[in-house]
Amino acid sequence: MQSSLQLCWNALMTWHPSCFSKCWCFCAMPACLPYVCSWPWPGSSAAAAEAEGAAAKAAAAGVLTALLAQPTHGPRVNLLLLKLLPPGLVATIAEGPPEAVLRALRQSVETPECIWDARMASQAAAEVAQLAAAIRRQHAAHSFDWAPPAGYQLQYDSLRGEVYVGGVYVRLFLKNPKYAVRDPVKFAEALVERYLQELLAAAAGGDAAAAALDRCLLLSAAAVALLQGHGLLADHVAQLGYSGRLLALLAGRTAGIKAAQQQQGQQQQQQQQQAAPDELGGSILRLLHQLASSPGASEALAVAVGAPLVPTLVTAMAWGHGASILVLETLKRALGVGNRQRDLLVGQAVQAGLVQKLLAMLDWRSSRGSSGSSSGSVAGAADSSTGQQEAPGSSGTAGVTQAQEQEQAVERTLAVDVLRLLAEDGAYAAQVNALLGASPVWAAYRDQQHDMFLPSGA
């Protein structure tokens, strides 16, 4: 029963790895895999299986680990195993030792890197048994160069619908974003690349657009969670050029807003400034917001050639309060003193009229007030019944929900922070300070402890 296994094991013990041949590698693996995946091997009695099974399986697992480590043919063995077993289990076999491999095969697990249960184990055992029988018949005919059929892949029902990227199941990673993945760099690269692919598929429309949109939101959320836990990865992602590509795609999503604003008069633009929310654009914005927390990524965004950062972000503020808050937080991060290209961003802000826009957002005397949108009265609007004006930063609004008031308070606070950063020493400091000095709105806000207006937990 164990003749083929014993032959493989003896060869492993006596041959130097440099003497491995292609024939030996691919004859040994089909002989060993059934021992690892079967419970017990067909044709043996229960007593014999109990006595011999553990040693046989451990030996087979050791042979598979050695095959995967073989320099010349190990990658091909790995590709073949990936056609039969989930990638997480193949990684466990490669790492060894045999006891850990057998323990992983016996237990049911559901982690971001591996999904395995008894049903999958039974399916794998049955499939491997059929393959092993076919291989033995081929060996009996003195033909040893075996390969699976073209396009062969064992499909597990438990894995259907799972998005697997860079060695990680994205859904399970989002359930446990603190999980220590084996290779976070590989995961980050694969996440962003797959996200860009799905983004283009969703933007193209068609029958698959809805599914691509769902995957975009999933991948974007996972990328943000990964970058939050591994701050240095933001610099790596930026060095690969992904930050500029993301910014260019965001500019494409906001192009419709710019065209609409150009067609409207100034008065209509003020009254209809809020555009319909864009889920794809919002997912890009969240990812850029996280990337901007890194000075290196902020510098890459500042010098991106696909689209200017500040004008693109300012246009995206028209998507509503949530987008406006993300934009202001992104600008606050990008304008930090650690960014050696901040003067470029301040120059873009001056040209885009960001200073005037933020002052209008803070103006409690205006009917537009803190948000610059038509979603309702703004915080701090004038009281028409008494003819008196409320203090800046107050929220005496009618018809505005508590959630909207909290969002407006956050917007006002971030607007003040961004204006203060724009006024820091630099090439455009004099120009910005001149604009702020001429504004009575800024005179009311500049000395305030503005974060006192933030809601609890904001």
Side-chain angles (χ1 to χ4, degrees):
M1 177 178 119
Q2 297 189 38
S3 58
S4 59
L5 174 62
Q6 195 63 44
L7 176 63
C8 298
W9 186 248
N10 291 340
L12 179 65
M13 293 295 100
T14 56
W15 291 5
H16 190 273
S18 62
C19 299
F20 276 85
S21 68
K22 175 181 174 182
C23 178
W24 187 87
C25 282
F26 293 99
C27 289
M29 186 176 61
C32 298
L33 195 56
Y35 287 90
V36 179
C37 294
S38 58
W39 295 272
W41 180 250
S44 60
S45 65
E50 184 176 359
E52 302 176 358
K57 290 177 183 178
V63 171
L64 290 176
T65 299
L67 291 176
L68 287 169
Q70 207 277 326
T72 305
H73 302 295
R76 188 176 172 189
V77 174
N78 182 73
L79 290 175
L80 182 55
L81 283 176
L82 288 174
K83 294 179 179 295
L84 296 168
L85 299 173
L89 276 184
V90 176
T92 300
I93 294 173
E95 292 173 356
E99 293 77 12
V101 174
L102 298 181
R103 186 166 56 250
L105 287 167
R106 285 194 299 265
Q107 63 186 6
S108 296
V109 296
E110 187 180 78
T111 71
E113 291 185 322
C114 186
I115 298 176
W116 185 252
D117 55 31
R119 182 180 177 184
M120 296 173 68
S122 298
Q123 185 179 352
E127 183 71 13
V128 169
Q130 293 179 4
L131 288 175
I135 292 169
R136 286 194 177 91
R137 289 192 296 270
Q138 182 175 326
H139 288 180
H142 304 287
S143 176
F144 301 101
D145 192 6
W146 176 84
Y152 173 81
Q153 179 69 53
L154 179 57
Q155 300 292 337
Y156 292 97
D157 294 337
S158 302
L159 300 182
R160 294 187 189 277
E162 293 288 348
V163 179
Y164 185 78
V165 177
V168 179
Y169 295 101
V170 178
R171 176 185 64 86
L172 295 178
F173 175 75
L174 283 174
K175 289 177 64 176
N176 184 16
K178 294 184 179 180
Y179 181 88
V181 297
R182 281 189 176 92
D183 192 343
V185 174
K186 174 186 174 183
F187 183 36
E189 293 175 1
L191 263 181
V192 180
E193 186 62 38
R194 176 70 180 276
Y195 170 70
L196 291 173
Q197 295 172 4
E198 297 292 349
L199 191 65
L200 294 175
D207 297 337
L213 173 60
D214 291 338
R215 289 191 293 269
C216 275
L217 301 180
L218 185 74
L219 293 166
S220 176
V224 170
L226 180 64
L227 292 174
Q228 287 175 342
H230 300 79
L232 295 179
L233 286 178
D235 287 343
H236 179 71
V237 170
Q239 289 170 359
L240 296 176
Y242 287 119
S243 55
R245 293 171 62 183
L246 289 168
L247 184 57
L249 289 170
L250 180 62
R253 303 300 303 179
T254 60
I257 301 175
K258 291 181 179 179
Q261 290 177 349
Q262 291 174 356
Q263 293 175 0
Q264 295 172 351
Q266 183 65 25
Q267 183 177 359
Q268 288 179 320
Q269 180 178 336
Q270 292 178 358
Q271 294 176 351
Q272 301 177 2
Q273 197 172 8
Q274 187 166 354
D278 186 321
E279 289 185 297
L280 286 178
S283 69
I284 302 173
L285 189 55
R286 284 189 290 273
L287 192 47
L288 289 175
H289 169 262
Q290 187 58 44
L291 285 172
S293 62
S294 160
S298 295
E299 292 175 8
L301 288 170
V303 299
V305 296
L309 176 64
V310 177
T312 302
L313 292 179
V314 170
T315 306
M317 292 174 72
W319 283 330
H321 288 296
S324 180
I325 290 172
L326 275 178
V327 165
L328 292 173
E329 285 188 340
T330 303
L331 290 172
K332 181 179 176 180
R333 292 176 175 184
L335 290 168
V337 294
N339 185 354
R340 294 170 294 181
Q341 305 294 337
R342 69 179 305 276
D343 278 346
L344 290 176
L345 297 179
V346 177
Q348 292 177 11
V350 171
Q351 293 178 0
L354 179 60
V355 175
Q356 295 89 333
K357 181 178 180 66
L358 296 182
L359 289 173
M361 183 183 295
L362 295 173
D363 192 350
W364 67 96
R365 304 165 302 177
S366 169
S367 60
R368 295 188 298 122
S370 66
S371 68
S373 69
S374 59
S375 58
S377 300
V378 298
D383 188 338
S384 59
S385 63
T386 63
Q388 297 181 352
Q389 295 175 339
E390 297 177 5
S394 62
S395 58
T397 59
V400 179
T401 65
Q402 183 179 3
Q404 288 175 325
E405 289 182 6
Q406 291 179 350
E407 288 175 339
Q408 291 168 4
V410 174
E411 281 182 291
R412 288 194 300 272
T413 299
L414 291 171
V416 173
D417 288 340
V418 171
L419 286 172
R420 286 176 173 167
L421 286 169
L422 290 172
E424 292 285 341
D425 291 340
Y428 297 90
Q431 193 172 349
V432 173
N433 281 296
L435 293 171
L436 295 178
S439 170
V441 174
W442 184 244
Y445 269 94
R446 63 185 176 190
D447 297 323
Q448 278 194 18
Q449 186 69 26
H450 56 277
D451 56 1
M452 66 182 293
F453 299 111
L454 283 175
S456 176

